[in-house]
Amino acid sequence: EHFGATLAYGMQNDTMSFAAGINMIDSVFDSDGLTEKYPEAQTFRKYAPGLGAHVRFGFRGFSLVAAYNAALREVEFTREETEVRARIQPSAWHIEGGYTTEIFGDKTYGALSYSHTHELAGAFPKTRKIATVGRWLAEDIRVTFDYAYDEDYARPDGGTGRYSNAFTLRLTYEW
């Protein structure tokens, strides 16, 4: 029995689009990703409320997206798998720029993104950089290639101190 709310505004015309909003949730640990990474956080008597903000801007094929999410208070709990006491106030932000155009008659796009987390060692990478190239093969079918480079938290901060590379080729059908 959790709750949240969003307040947003958006507008669009032939050459430009804009959207911005703020949202809140009564427990940041009842959100995508954090629920499975911190199952012990679901049993708190007092939840850690969270606040987020996002903005999207598009102009003649160019796009810019930015988002920030954070817990509003610190929480303390014992990690189930390690029996280590944790005290965190997680947050994360993301920024992405892209461009879409027609190449040889089909819509094609590319994007670069960067994201950063705070106090989420052992669950998420500290930073992630992604380069994406995609193309619509038909109106509802798209192929995308992503390259992601993740840097984990340092060992003293609860991470591995390592980095990883990931390549993803994805075929998407939308209906």
Side-chain angles (χ1 to χ4, degrees), residues 23-129:
N23 48 307
M24 66 82 56
I25 189 168
D26 72 325
S27 173
V28 294
F29 294 101
D30 188 43
S31 59
D32 289 345
L34 292 181
T35 301
E36 69 181 49
K37 296 294 184 180
Y38 296 98
E40 58 275 353
Q42 297 301 308
T43 60
F44 292 154
R45 281 186 228 130
K46 284 181 72 175
Y47 295 125
L51 193 61
H54 65 273
V55 63
R56 288 186 298 240
F57 179 73
F59 182 73
R60 296 188 185 270
F62 290 95
S63 64
L64 181 64
V65 178
Y68 178 76
N69 295 286
L72 296 177
R73 69 176 180 84
E74 199 171 59
V75 293
E76 189 173 346
F77 56 91
T78 301
R79 296 299 312 264
E80 288 178 355
E81 70 274 359
T82 61
E83 295 300 319
V84 171
R85 196 91 177 126
R87 186 180 190 101
I88 63 173
Q89 187 173 355
S91 64
W93 61 270
H94 171 87
I95 188 163
E96 179 178 309
Y99 183 68
T100 303
T101 190
E102 261 193 40
I103 298 177
F104 300 118
D106 289 322
K107 199 161 49 166
T108 304
Y109 65 95
L112 297 173
S113 71
Y114 179 83
S115 60
H116 185 89
T117 65
H118 177 69
E119 294 191 350
L120 289 170
F124 294 95
K126 183 169 184 140
T127 64
R128 174 173 285 168
K129 300 167 188 106

Side-chain angles (χ1 to χ4, degrees), residues 11 46 90 115 143 150 167:
M11 59 84 59
K46 284 181 72 175
S115 60
V143 65
D150 293 347
F167 299 91

